Amino acid sequence: MTTSTLSIRLKQARLHAKLSQEELGIRIGLEPASASARMNRYELGKRVPAAELIQRVAAELGLPATFFYAEMDDEAELLERYHQLTRTEKVRVMIFLKSIR
């Protein structure tokens, strides 16, 4: 089985947060005894996590769930940065984007 965008982004986000597979799994509510193994399967692309689990990972890591599905690195970075903006900053970004298109 090939590694998916989702599995790559999941590992990337976990490593950026400096968490082990077990730590992240436990933080999102997986059973401690299987947390590491389950996260490993998701990161290797052997299993596909449910959308609800990705929502929990996103909330735990402070990312939008869409980050995990972004195929291009710059798109993932844009989603991550946009998610961190205040509501006012988001409005300004949207006004700017509309002005250049």
Side-chain angles (χ1 to χ4, degrees), residues 33-90:
S34 63
S36 181
R38 284 185 62 186
M39 293 305 297
N40 188 18
R41 285 187 210 108
Y42 298 144
E43 288 183 11
L44 292 175
K46 292 182 178 181
R47 298 270 187 209
V48 178
E52 184 270 332
L53 187 130
I54 292 299
Q55 289 288 342
R56 293 193 328 243
V57 170
E60 179 62 35
L61 300 180
L63 294 166
T66 51
F67 168 86
F68 297 96
Y69 302 97
E71 292 187 18
M72 296 175 6
D73 289 341
D74 59 347
E75 182 180 358
E77 182 181 359
L78 182 63
L79 288 164
E80 180 180 4
R81 288 175 181 253
Y82 184 80
H83 184 75
Q84 296 169 352
L85 298 176
T86 66
R87 182 69 196 135
T88 301
E89 291 168 333
K90 287 177 181 178

Side-chain angles (χ1 to χ4, degrees), residues 9-45:
R9 296 275 178 236
L10 186 58
K11 183 174 183 177
Q12 174 187 16
R14 178 185 61 78
L15 291 174
H16 187 261
K18 296 180 173 53
L19 295 172
S20 69
Q21 291 173 335
E22 181 179 31
E23 289 171 317
L24 179 57
I26 291 170
R27 286 185 183 199
I28 62 168
L30 300 180
E31 289 294 323
S34 63
S36 181
R38 284 185 62 186
M39 293 305 297
N40 188 18
R41 285 187 210 108
Y42 298 144
E43 288 183 11
L44 292 175

